[in-house]
Amino acid sequence: MADRLESEVPVRGRFVAELRDEEAFDEWEVHRPVEVTAAVPGVLPLYVRRAHDEVLRSVVDQAAGGANRMVVLVGESSSGKTRACWEAVAELPAGWRLWHPLDPSPAQALANALQEGIAARTAIWLNELQQYFGDQAGALAERVAAGLRALLQDSTRGPVLVLGTVWPEFWSSLTAPAVPGRSSEHAQTRTLLEGKGVYVPAAFEAQELEDARTVGGHDVRLADALAHTVGRRLAQYMAGAPALLERYRTAPPAARAVIGAAMDASRLGGAALVGRDFLQAAAEGYLGDDDYDALGEEWLEDALAYTQQSSKGVRGLLSRVRGRPGTGGRGGWRLSDYMDHIGRIERRYAAPPASFWAAAREHLPESHIVRAVGQAAEARWRDAEAVGLYQRALDLGDVKAGQELGWLWQGRQRAEEARRVQEQTALAGDD
């Protein structure tokens, strides 16, 4: 790749100098601020620089000076990670572009680009880092990590800047040390990310809060947040987190069931998108008998309509994502990342109903996600569900699922079943 002329490398993204704040919400996934009377719609609130911003700006300055650099902001949902990256990118000099790998999938888009080459002065926007590395990226994860390592280490290619954001639980998983005596599934990823994390606190520090009060005199949304926020969590308030949580708490039973199914698909399988068929099949088991009997003929449409409604200008609990024709991208329903965060806390010890496992087996299309749900079922001693999920993932060509299923059968002393699975796994590995 280093031998390729710069003029031959595809140019991706948009010039940073041409980006506008009102464009930050959709393509770049900055949270929309809550609507407040007298606020200018579509415009970001004034920004208050915090301690992590200084570290982030230092990395950006090094990239602007000609070095290949990567930095990852690690923090809870709606703590201000993506906004901090947006503000830092704005300080890149003329000629830099910002590119967000998305289609046909985040990991595939980045893998394709690394194969073809990344143009100099490109900032790569990896919001929600787990989509590119680790279990959620499937078989592409280590290939992407290795490609980025090679790019960052090659002084003849660049400069490039890689900006990532991720929740603490995903960061811990991606950077966890290898278990002695066992091969590491994320060796390339762990090496790539070493020393590149910058923590973003959920709450403002005392001096940051004073700075916010000063700036709040010039921005009604920040002033509103200062007046109503508990625990100094200004970023979460302005991202609409309390409004979303209130809407979730007061949701009708069918809507709560749909949200619960989406939460479990994300926390147990890493599914960023789920389809309508999955939601319909899974949600029924989240309803009590009386609520199930009371369902109307259009219960799913009504539930999805409720979850899509915005609250104080912030996107709803579930958002419709449309797959773009010709890109191979898959459409579906995406859970609000703040509600995903809540689900991982409140449903941490919750046992999904039987309908969830069956819906995951029948309607989740990506083999690595089906395998992950199978692992979750096995960890909960749901052997029958785990077997079905592993088998489905293996039928889709997932060799690791075959290994998991073989180990399960061996642990249950089912030698004949283990032998059959080993044979199918070997054939899948030859494809």
Side-chain angles (χ1 to χ4, degrees), residues 196-213:
K196 297 182 175 67
V198 176
Y199 178 62
V200 178
F204 277 46
E205 300 295 338
Q207 183 56 55
E208 295 167 353
L209 202 62
E210 287 301 313
D211 294 342
R213 291 192 178 98

Side-chain angles (χ1 to χ4, degrees), residues 219-233:
D219 192 301
V220 293
R221 286 162 299 192
L222 190 52
D224 183 66
L226 286 163
H228 295 95
T229 299
V230 177
R232 297 178 286 126
R233 294 181 170 232

Side-chain angles (χ1 to χ4, degrees), residues 104-388:
S105 71
Q108 187 67 66
L110 184 53
N112 293 345
L114 289 168
Q115 179 70 29
E116 297 167 1
I118 303 290
R121 294 173 295 283
T122 297
I124 307 174
W125 186 267
L126 303 184
N127 196 40
E128 297 188 24
L129 196 74
Q130 71 279 2
Q131 297 182 90
Y132 302 89
F133 309 104
D135 293 337
Q136 288 196 26
L140 291 169
E142 287 295 83
R143 174 182 157 193
V144 167
L148 271 184
R149 285 185 63 198
L151 174 63
L152 293 170
Q153 292 168 5
D154 189 348
S155 60
T156 68
R157 299 158 62 190
V160 296
L161 171 65
V162 183
L163 293 166
T165 68
V166 70
W167 294 352
E169 55 263 43
F170 291 127
W171 178 257
S172 297
S173 174
L174 294 172
T175 59
V179 178
R182 296 182 61 183
S183 61
S184 173
E185 293 186 350
H186 307 315
Q188 292 282 358
T189 299
R190 185 173 61 252
T191 303
L192 170 70
L193 299 180
E194 184 175 359
K196 297 182 175 67
V198 176
Y199 178 62
V200 178
F204 277 46
E205 300 295 338
Q207 183 56 55
E208 295 167 353
L209 202 62
E210 287 301 313
D211 294 342
R213 291 192 178 98
T214 300
V215 176
H218 305 278
D219 192 301
V220 293
R221 286 162 299 192
L222 190 52
D224 183 66
L226 286 163
H228 295 95
T229 299
V230 177
R232 297 178 286 126
R233 294 181 170 232
L234 300 185
Q236 291 87 334
Y237 181 90
M238 287 191 292
L244 277 175
L245 190 57
E246 180 182 4
R247 188 160 180 79
Y248 169 62
R249 300 279 189 242
T250 58
R256 281 186 64 91
V258 166
I259 296 165
M263 285 177 167
D264 286 345
S266 179
R267 73 182 179 96
L268 299 180
L273 290 177
V274 290
R276 186 183 186 281
D277 291 342
F278 167 81
L279 291 174
Q280 181 170 12
E284 294 180 1
Y286 290 77
L287 294 163
D289 290 343
D290 290 343
D291 291 329
Y292 182 79
D293 291 340
L295 291 177
E297 293 297 322
E298 304 295 325
W299 70 269
L300 182 61
E301 286 71 18
D302 293 342
L304 291 175
Y306 179 91
T307 64
Q308 286 186 90
Q309 291 178 14
S310 63
S311 183
K312 296 186 178 180
V314 178
R315 277 191 172 185
L317 301 161
L318 286 175
S319 297
R320 177 76 180 275
V321 177
R322 298 184 183 277
R324 292 185 180 274
T327 66
R330 183 171 56 86
W333 300 88
R334 183 183 182 93
L335 182 66
S336 155
D337 64 351
Y338 184 73
M339 295 315 303
D340 191 357
H341 176 72
I342 292 297
R344 291 170 187 272
I345 296 173
E346 296 190 352
R347 296 192 57 78
R348 183 177 180 182
Y349 301 109
S355 63
F356 169 80
W357 308 110
R361 185 181 68 247
E362 296 296 328
H363 299 296
L364 294 181
E366 296 171 294
S367 63
H368 65 280
I369 291 178
V370 178
R371 167 169 42 91
V373 178
Q375 291 171 320
E378 184 179 0
R380 290 158 177 77
W381 297 96
R382 304 290 294 261
D383 281 3
E385 287 82 358
V387 167

Side-chain angles (χ1 to χ4, degrees), residues 60-78:
V60 172
D61 287 344
Q62 293 170 38
N68 294 331
R69 289 292 183 265
M70 179 176 184
V71 61
V72 180
L73 297 191
V74 184
E76 295 180 7
S77 172
S78 305

